Amino acid sequence: MEGTFFMVLAACALVPAWLAVRGANLIHAALWLGASLLATAAVYAMLGASFLAGVQVLVYVGGVITLMIFGVMMTRRHEGLVALAESRHQGRAAAIAVTLFAVIAQAINATDGLDAPLSAPVSANGSALGRALVVDHVLAFEALSLLLLAAIVGAVVIARRRDPPDAREAEVPS
Amino acid sequence: MSPASSFALVAVLAPALAALVLAALPALRRQGTPAAMLCIAGSLGAFGAALAALSRLAHTHTPETWSRPWLQAAGLSLADVGVRVDGTSAPMLVVVTLVALCVQVFSLGYMHGESREAFGRYFAYHALFLFSMNVLVVSPNLLQLFAGWELVGVTSYLLIGFYYRKPEAAHAAVKAFWVTRFADMGLLFGLLALFTASGSFGWEAQLSPAVATFVTLMLFLAVVGKSAQFPLHIWLPNAMEGPTPVSALLHAATMVAAGVFLVVRAAPLFAQSETTRAVMLVTGSVTALFAACLALVQTDIKKVLAYSTCSQLGYMVAALGAGSVFGGFFHLTTHAFFKALLFLAAGSVIHAVHSNEIGKMGGLARRMPLTGGAFIIGALALAGVPGLAGFFSKDLVLEAVEGKLGSLPWIALLATAFLTAFYMGRVVFVAFFGAPANDHAAHAKEHGWSMRGPLVLLATLSVVVGYFGGDLAHLGGHAYHFHFTGGAALASGLGLAGIGLAYAVYGRGPREAPAIIATVDRIAQSRAVNRFYEFGFRRVTLVAADALAWIDRYVVDGLINMTGYVTLALGSRARKIQTGEAPDYVLAVMLGVVAMAAWVVVQ
Amino acid sequence: MTLAGCLTLAAALFSLGVYGLLTRRQAVAVLVSVELMANAANLCFVAFSRFRGDVTGQALAVFALALTVAEVAVGLALVILLYRAHGDTRVDLASEMKQ
Amino acid sequence: MSDLLILWLPLAVGALTVLALLVDALSPPPASGRAVGWLVVAGLTATLGATFFVDVAGPAAHGAYEASAWTLALQRLFLAAGVIAALGGVDHVAARAPKRAGEYWLLLLASITGMTLLAGARDLILLVVAFELMGIPLYVLAAFAKTDGDRAGVRDRRPSEAALKLYLVGATSTAVTLFGLALLTGMTCATRLDALTATPLQPLATLGALLMLAGFGYKVGVVPFHMWVPDTYQGAWTPFVAFLSVAPKAAGVAALTQVFVLGLGAQHDRWLPALMMLAFLSMAVGNLLALPQTDARRLLAYSGVAQMGYALLGVAAIGEQGAAMTLFFLTSYVFTNMGAFLVVHAVAEGGGGHDLDGLRGLAGRAPGLAAALLCFILSLAGIPFAVGFWAKLYVFLAAWQAGLGGLVIAGVALAALGIFYYLQVLRAAYMTDARGLAAPVVGAPLKLAIGLCLAAVLGFGLWPGPLVEGTARAAHALLTAAAR
């Protein structure tokens, strides 16, 4: 039962992923990515990581996909919904991707102890995770906040069309 | 710190100070003459200090080392920096500083036509070069020697490429630097292996036979490059593109001698490997003979001297290979003086007739008696005429080589002695006797005292220095007594014969030949000699020379012109990889990842 | 449902991401592919966390998620910059510098 | 000891970052650019100075971070690089983008904060987060030249291209790193570096380690993850490139040392061949492709790829000596390469452009700059009495003693080939005529920055002893003391 359910979820993650990397319509590709991420979130839930599943839905599907669609919309010169994403060098890329998959699968195969049955679910999911984040890895957590600040400032600096006007510069053209 | 080491330290630092001042004060450097004076003062100080160190050493007879830890790791000193004054370094220091001083004084006159700025730059390079060379000479270990060695390479690049507007000079500078640098890899490998095996950079280490052979062979590779041994001698003739005094400096006592000096320094290591010494003996003899053959056919006076330098370095290397450390060192010392003399005299001549071609000279002995006399003394010393410096040291070399490896090296070196006398005689007779070839030669004049003084000094030394062999040996703790052996007699005889033959072929001019010369001439013109010449010289030597020239042109020069070739050949391929398109960059990353991942699975 | 199964799914998602990364020319599509790859990594974190009974994996997943989001934010800003400079968002257009 | 005390240095730089943000927000734009720049110089210098008086050691944050001689040595290196980058860029940034100057300094500080954390990271999570904290600001900084063409009225596409290439390769590498991290931590059930090798590595864990190696290889710029290097160097601001070409690379190599030598050193048979391959490819490709370059920045870029190959030799030597010599090499490289880039920058700003041809006759036009360039290039080429000589000798010695003779021979041979392109730079500066180029006017801060680099290159070159001892102590603190 559980195995079948996992198979279904896996298919739900893989097929949209395939469409996301193959589809010609850029907006659709972003949406398919969202679908694949949703399916992954379901897998997380199945694995007992319900908090993470929630974060995934909120941050990724709610935030990142929306941002991406904004990005697509902002960078279209002509009005129109269809933004095409052409693909090139498909044979080469397929060969590399398939090799990579085969290699990783082979490594998984050659590694012992991966067929172990589920252990008991991680106890007190939310609080244990919270403890891990802000107690055990507090320094990384702090660094992360600085990183997000830098990323936001950086994104604004890059995306700003031109620098804010300056009264003096208008008087003295350089 | 004892007096001798402090003197040696002064000898190292005086030129460094001059170079530093000239580097820090561009305004002074651009003045020209004051810069030159500063540089000469530095060299004079260095020479005085070197002399003082030598006399201290002669007095005390105890080698001294002053050093400070340089490379430390975990409280353990990997190497020291400092000065070592002993029977090898002190005389060498005197020779180097004296020759450098002579060359610099000579340059005052020779380079007078240069712009002030170039004049100052020239002397700044000189000061830097002397510093580098002195660092090498006084080093208490092989690491400092390596440091000086590399610095000498860089500064020689600047000196050879001094006339950088001439493409040949720029090319020659790169070539000299790169060929020697290529060989320097050997020195680095040797040092790495030595350190790994013995835990220090000292030259007294006792190594296992295999390691000793590896280390010394690697060191010898560096010697082959620096001391222009066959087949890496190719850079030396090109290096004649530099100003003639530079050639005198680089190719007499300093840069090329550094290789031989390295072997003398590291003699305890070389003593441990029979194989390396055999290789050295063969390389040295081949170089000596081969370069002498090539010198025969040169018409450029500096090229003759360049090949002659190669040939004489072959002598030294052969002596060292035969196990006679002192023989090699002694020949290095005497050669330094007479070769510097020859180059400077040649420079004086070139300056007067505005040409390097001996065919465009002629009759100069009358027009420039002092220069002519100096050149002739130098040539006689080089030819090994008894009583002059070269005679004593050459004799020692031949004595050492005699009987080794079935006497083949000995025969080669004897033949070289003959050829040496012949080609030097040729230059002397063509350039200094007979009728002037053109107006320049006819109106050549002696130059000022700045150019004549060094000639006189070096000529005197070329005569007398041979008699100090015993003292030099004593200083270094070697046993040496001069005795006139059959080999020495044979060599001097061959030398005289070579001069005679040269006279027969080139020296007669319009006059009638004396009977003996006519006989020699008849023999020289005979079919047997002709056939021997045809086969031995034209077929073998020149074919070898041609083959080497081909390699030189297409391989070495090719490598040196690599920038161009690479732009064409490698560049186009590189452009295929580095397409400038970001997706391809990502592709490279993923290919790397897949390759690594696949390797894990295959493992 | 085994750990091996989860990891194989992650490997498949990762490889699909790589495929997209190598074929796509539109900058946003490239970002979509990179997200797939990062998501595969997250799946690994969570799966290991569950099967080893250790919450660290989930913490790592949170960190990884935040890192990826920060990266996407900067990436999308760069897409806009690219669009301003070239009038298009094809990543292979920016190829002035080469060799 | 209190965690806050042990973490004082990253905290100080982080606080400086926030302070820079405040100053930038509170002062009017045209003045703020230079003011924040000087604040960065002063703050970093003060922090660097304080490192000589504050003596702390020990773990913090549950062992995720450790203050030790190794950590401190690297942090000093990053701070010094930051000071020099700030001095070298303060005029340029204020002149080119007065409105964005505050953000420039803020991002630079954020990146340096990441580096200082990375140096002390003994936990994979912190290490990866610090790595990204260092990396993400760099994407943005690379794009800062975006309006350079505006004044001339041309559309300058290069900055966007430079940043895009850095970003695309970087984002790919991050994804790869994260995947590798997932496999490695999952298989070993550990994130602490000293707990990684408790069990022998299974194939999947090895795979994870190698994926992380690839991810770090991107930041270090080793072949085949190097392709962004020349293009980004060419398109971004040169004072920033001076920083980008040294500090993140040093951090990357340090991270490699920490993860692979400290964490996975006992399992080296699993990853060493891959690392050796990367080192060899970098030395070969870097030295060969530098030959045909005519742009000084691209030439230095490929030279840097080769130099990182040498640095990896030290890592590949595995062990205390190797780590010490790697650290020595990195120190040498930081000062040398920054100096070279800053001279190129000064000459380019003086009207010569970034081509090698723009250096022509420099010895006549600007003897001081030319002499500095000479020292930097000689140091890169490994000529004595410049620190690069010792650096190269040192890593070669370490690798040779570790039994990597073949790799050393290849490295030395390729380095000999590399002489050509270094000579080309010298030839341009010393053996050509200036034909129509004027002497560049160099501002005092830039002069000071170049002077600092020069002092370090010559000082450590003439007297390497203290640096050697320091690096040996640092490596000892990382590897032996950690085993206690």
Side-chain angles (χ1 to χ4, degrees), chain B residues 23 26 29-30 68-76 78 81 117 121 125 131 135 143-144 146-151 154 157-159 161-162 164-165 167 170-171 173-174 177-178 181-182 185 188-189 191-193 195-196 201 214 556 559-563 566-567 570-571 574 577-586 588-593 596-600 603, chain D residues 161 164-165 168-169 172-173 176 203-204 206-207 210-211 213-214 224-228 230-231 269-275 278 288-289 291-292 298 302 321 325 328 363-365 367 378 381-385 389-390 392-394 396-397 400-401 408-410 412-417 419-421 423-424 426-427 430-433 461-466 468-469 472:
Chain B
R29 196 173 68 232
R30 286 186 192 143
R68 286 274 163 276
W70 200 9
L71 263 192
Q72 293 157 310
L76 188 83
L78 300 185
V81 61
E117 201 179 330
R121 189 160 55 91
Y125 290 167
F131 163 69
V135 166
L143 187 67
Q144 186 185 329
F146 178 56
W149 181 283
E150 293 281 287
L151 269 187
V154 179
Y157 168 75
L158 293 172
L159 283 170
F162 183 74
Y164 60 78
R165 288 183 185 83
H171 179 253
V174 174
F177 188 54
W178 194 72
R181 176 87 199 192
F182 169 79
M185 292 193 311
L188 187 54
F189 293 143
L191 285 184
L192 292 177
F195 187 83
T196 309
F201 290 107
F214 178 78
V556 178
L559 275 172
I560 287 162
N561 293 333
M562 191 120 171
T563 48
V566 164
T567 323
L570 221 159
I577 304 168
Q578 191 87 19
T579 50
E581 293 192 14
D584 292 325
Y585 296 9
V586 175
V589 172
M590 289 322 301
L591 278 176
V593 168
M596 280 166 136
W599 178 73
V600 172
Q603 200 181 20
Chain D
E161 187 181 337
L164 181 79
K165 285 174 173 170
L168 280 182
V169 181
T172 310
S173 299
V176 171
L204 204 53
T206 311
L207 181 63
L210 287 188
L211 292 183
L213 178 60
F225 315 112
H226 71 288
M227 291 174 95
W228 59 275
D231 295 355
D269 54 324
R270 296 304 169 92
W271 52 265
L272 186 59
L275 186 77
L278 293 185
L288 285 174
L289 287 194
L291 287 172
R298 293 186 78 85
Y302 282 110
Q321 206 184 11
M325 293 177 184
F328 188 98
R365 287 187 284 147
L378 290 185
I383 303 293
F385 303 119
F389 169 72
W390 302 114
K392 217 176 259 178
L393 183 74
Y394 243 43
F396 285 150
L397 193 62
W400 186 285
Q401 287 191 316
V408 173
I409 289 176
V412 173
L414 288 164
L417 193 67
I419 288 295
F420 278 125
Y421 57 84
L423 279 186
Q424 257 192 320
L426 290 191
R427 203 157 142 182
Y430 274 84
M431 296 192 170
T432 47
D433 296 315
L462 287 171
W463 216 246
V468 175
E469 285 202 332

Side-chain angles (χ1 to χ4, degrees), chain D residues 124 127-128 176-177 180-181 184 207-217 256 259-260:
Chain D
L124 277 174
L127 193 110
V128 169
V176 171
T177 310
L181 180 73
L184 183 64
L207 181 63
L210 287 188
L211 292 183
M212 290 192 74
L213 178 60
F216 291 159
L256 278 178
V259 173
F260 286 90

Side-chain angles (χ1 to χ4, degrees), chain A residues 20-23 37 40 44 46-47 52 56 60 75-77 85 87-89 93 101 114 118-119 121 125 147 159, chain C residues 1 3-4 12 15 19 23-25 35 39 42 46 50-51 58-59 61-62 68-70 77 83-84 87 89 92:
Chain A
V21 298
R22 286 285 301 167
L37 294 177
T40 322
Y44 292 173
M46 230 184 118
L47 289 165
L52 213 59
Q56 170 105 336
Y60 257 125
T75 53
R76 289 290 106 191
R77 206 193 310 234
S87 298
R88 284 192 346 196
H89 300 301
F101 177 73
L114 296 184
L118 279 175
S119 63
N125 200 334
L147 187 152
Chain C
M1 186 165 141
L3 182 51
S15 304
Y19 174 78
T23 51
R24 294 301 209 172
R25 286 299 180 266
E35 286 312 304
N39 184 49
N42 269 357
V46 176
R50 177 71 174 92
F51 285 88
Q58 288 191 35
V62 173
T68 329
V69 169
Y83 179 70
R84 292 231 182 90
T89 54
D92 51 349

